[in-house]
Amino acid sequence: MNYVSISTIGKHEGKEVFIRGWVYNKRSSGKIKFLIVRDGTGMIQGVLVKGEVDHKYFDLFERLTQESSIVVRGRVREDRRAIGGYEIDITTLEILQIAGEYPVSPKEHGTEFLMDHRHLWIRSKRQFAILRIRNDIVNAIRDYFNSNGFVLIDAPIFTPAACEGTTTLFETSYFDDKAYLTQSGQLYMEAAAMAFGKVYCFGPTFRAEKSKTRRHLTEFWMVEPEVAFMDLNGDMELAEDFIEYIVQRTLGNMGNELRMLERDTSILENARKPFPRISYDEAFDILKKEKPDIVWGNDLGANDETILSNRFDKPVFIHRFPTTCKAFYMKSDPENEKLSLSVDMLAPEGYGEIIGGGEREDDLDKLFSKIKEHNLPVETLNWYLDLRRYGSVLHAGFGLGLERIVAWICGISHVRETIPFPRLINRLTP
Ligand code: 4AD
Ligand code: MG
């Protein structure tokens, strides 16, 4: 038997094919029965006409429930009004298993119910579109770095020390010792940049985020490039070139999926470099007009980011944050010691921060004092200080949160739908 995938059905127009899949939906209209089948690559409507097929298949049709697994045989016919442009005139039907009453029916369900049934929910149309877009974005990220001379260097998951502050560390026992799940691969990428020049890592990172927000997961994927001899300006150039590439490529490849999500793509089309750049001080002046009691030196909150990003119709960089609100490894601005050579990229439409990065402190003594100021255990960072002892050079990099960019590109409000099996403060299952 020649089974075909629904995604390639157009190549078989006029021919009889077999499709293996699951019942998405069915309905009857007089002597015509309609069956929507999905097979993991797409969906197609099958049509059964009374009198034209053996009536035993009509009886089988009546038994079909949502998500029953089936094999359908039929002739492919072009139909411009149909979901994928084709329909299939069913000639035979075989049931593999009749599904029990399926919990995720087409009616509306509450979020917690859907999250409890995530293992089934991912079969539905919207989740199918989002996770296929995620897959395509991952490919775009890898292709970008592969074609720009970067070397992939995997960072460890078990780490001895904090990278992004001690309040969000997940601790685990490690034989007679303890370890932390990585918050970021950055420190290892700095070591790797001194060995390979242009490197990146891409993997899961963990933060014990105790607040419930629409953009925080406890386990999320981060891609982190790091480049020797690159300054803050170069870092921003790399970030905008990278984001433009991802967005424009997704628009080109994922048109069907974006339509399934009813995404208005005009803002995405506009995501072309250069992206506007404003300093923290400029951002502060803008915010001060709307929030008179805002305090200089604090990090920007979600609401501040929304106010700022709404002023632009493309992603925007905020650079040179006060040292007080950034991590220990940030290099101070030689023109103003109170500022750091840091940068965030905010996505438009209220999505806020998708990238964080900057230039790294490359002076041994300054880095040592910063580690002390942040109360971090020097013993566990001695290896990191070696990078400043042996041929220290200017270098910079950034981290992009995968789920944040997927959420923005898909136009969905919460990151929990952008990862196959989300981990949140109150959720460890399925
Ligand atoms: O700004 P962050 O904390 O920067 C770092 O971790 C740096 N060490 C990266 C580097 O320079 N190599 O995190 C980077 C990005 C954020 O901009 C955001 O997109 C994402 O990671 N992110 C999260 N995404 C989902 N859930 C969370 N809890 C996240 N925390 C950060
Ligand atoms: Mg950040």
Side-chain angles (χ1 to χ4, degrees), residues 332-401:
S332 305
D333 184 349
E335 290 174 15
N336 180 351
E337 286 287 311
K338 285 202 162 109
L339 301 178
S340 60
L341 295 178
S342 51
V343 63
D344 279 5
M345 185 195 286
L346 311 184
E349 302 171 273
Y351 280 88
E353 181 190 340
I354 55 172
I355 277 182
E359 240 180 272
R360 322 306 190 186
E361 182 53 72
D362 45 29
D363 178 81
L364 178 63
D365 296 333
K366 284 188 186 160
L367 185 57
F368 187 82
S369 340
K370 283 177 177 163
I371 291 173
K372 287 282 178 201
E373 276 163 34
H374 281 80
N375 283 321
L376 296 169
V378 182
E379 327 79 76
T380 57
L381 290 168
N382 222 346
W383 67 270
Y384 182 63
L385 288 166
D386 270 354
L387 307 175
R388 278 65 176 171
R389 290 187 182 109
Y390 307 111
S392 188
V393 300
L394 158 78
H395 62 290
F398 62 81
L400 166 72

Side-chain angles (χ1 to χ4, degrees), residues 164 184 186 207 209 216-217 224 329 353-354 360 401:
E164 294 300 326
S184 159
Q186 180 194 318
R207 296 194 195 174
E209 301 281 1
H216 287 94
L217 294 159
E224 299 179 84
Y329 51 72
E353 181 190 340
I354 55 172
R360 322 306 190 186

